[in-house]
Amino acid sequence: MLTLIISIMFGLIAGWASSLEYDMTWTIIIAASVFAVFWIGIGLFIRRQINKVNATIQDQMGEAQKRINRKLQMFQNKPGANVKSVQKTLEKDQNEAIAAALKTTHQIDRYFKWNFLLKKQISTMRMMFYYQMKNFKKVDELLPGCMFLDPRATAFKIARMYKRKNGDIDSFFAKKCRRLKGENAALLYGLYSWILVKNDEADKALKLLTAARKKINHPTIVENREKLANGKIKQFSNSGLGELWYSLYLEEPKVKQKKMHRKF
């Protein structure tokens, strides 16, 4: 917001000053040029600062991932390791890394007043971090101020709408999935069809997946559509979506599907 105000202010000053010596055409050109210079210049400066913070977060998460992978390899090479204990340890390490990343995001707070969309972007990032930590209270607090351009963020929103039994999932899904194709759409169509099946709306889920086949060729979408078409509702499964599906925490992977693998 401040970027716009400052740019307009200097543009008007430049326009007023130039009007004393030039005609209206040149006055407008000079005012617009000064506005553009300040708008672009301030924007580039803020973006540079944000990129530095993002790079720090990526480094933090990357280092944490390396540490977790080393522990994972150590546990895998250790016979008789308790799977649940190992997972608990790795989740603890992951949550500590996410907490550190969340703390780093606050370095961006001072730039919120310069860009009215920035707060929404950072709120979305924090919401996704909190979701990974299963801190759903914070997730629900942040959701109203988030942007849903990322399919995973959209999936988190839909999952919380389902769990809390509030909001119009139909309309929200339709709005967000209109332009999605391929892998980006598979998670959302898989999620929404799963919700419909859970709500005893298998016929509606079948229609949804039949329509989805026009733009998605993901094996899980294809297989689930065939299962519903053949009345094998109990065999419906999104396990083929892998970590993307289980990261929604709507289902636990079956024992035979469990892998000691953690990835941010």
Side-chain angles (χ1 to χ4, degrees), residues 64-73 75-76 83-84 86-91 94 132 241-244 246-247 249 253 255 257-264:
Q65 185 67 61
K66 290 178 183 178
R67 291 195 300 272
I68 290 173
N69 287 342
R70 285 196 295 268
K71 280 191 178 183
L72 177 59
Q73 187 173 13
F75 284 126
Q76 287 176 331
V83 175
K84 288 187 177 180
V86 171
Q87 287 183 327
K88 194 171 182 179
T89 299
L90 297 180
E91 285 175 3
Q94 175 177 288
Q132 287 180 272
L241 295 171
E243 288 292 327
L244 279 175
Y246 293 116
S247 69
Y249 304 129
V255 174
Q257 294 171 327
K258 283 188 178 180
K259 296 180 181 180
M260 289 193 296
H261 174 72
R262 308 297 302 174
K263 185 175 181 181
F264 298 119

Side-chain angles (χ1 to χ4, degrees), residues 127 131 136 139-140 143 148 151-166 169 172-173 187-188 191-192 194-195 244-251:
M127 180 275 290
Y131 201 107
F136 299 121
V139 170
D140 294 339
L143 277 172
F148 299 101
R152 198 157 171 242
T154 303
F156 288 166
K157 165 79 170 178
I158 293 174
R160 291 307 297 155
M161 292 171 76
Y162 168 73
K163 294 295 287 186
R164 297 181 68 192
K165 301 187 187 314
N166 68 352
I169 298 179
F172 184 72
F173 173 84
L187 175 63
L188 295 180
L191 167 60
Y192 187 41
W194 179 89
I195 290 174
L244 279 175
W245 170 245
Y246 293 116
S247 69
L248 299 179
Y249 304 129
L250 294 173
E251 284 187 330

Side-chain angles (χ1 to χ4, degrees), residues 185-204:
L187 175 63
L188 295 180
Y189 275 96
L191 167 60
Y192 187 41
S193 59
W194 179 89
I195 290 174
L196 291 172
V197 169
K198 287 293 181 181
N199 289 338
D200 295 323
E201 296 182 275
D203 290 343
K204 190 173 178 180

Side-chain angles (χ1 to χ4, degrees), residues 49 55 85 87 116 144-145 208:
Q49 305 310 308
S85 177
Q87 287 183 327
F116 66 94
L208 175 75

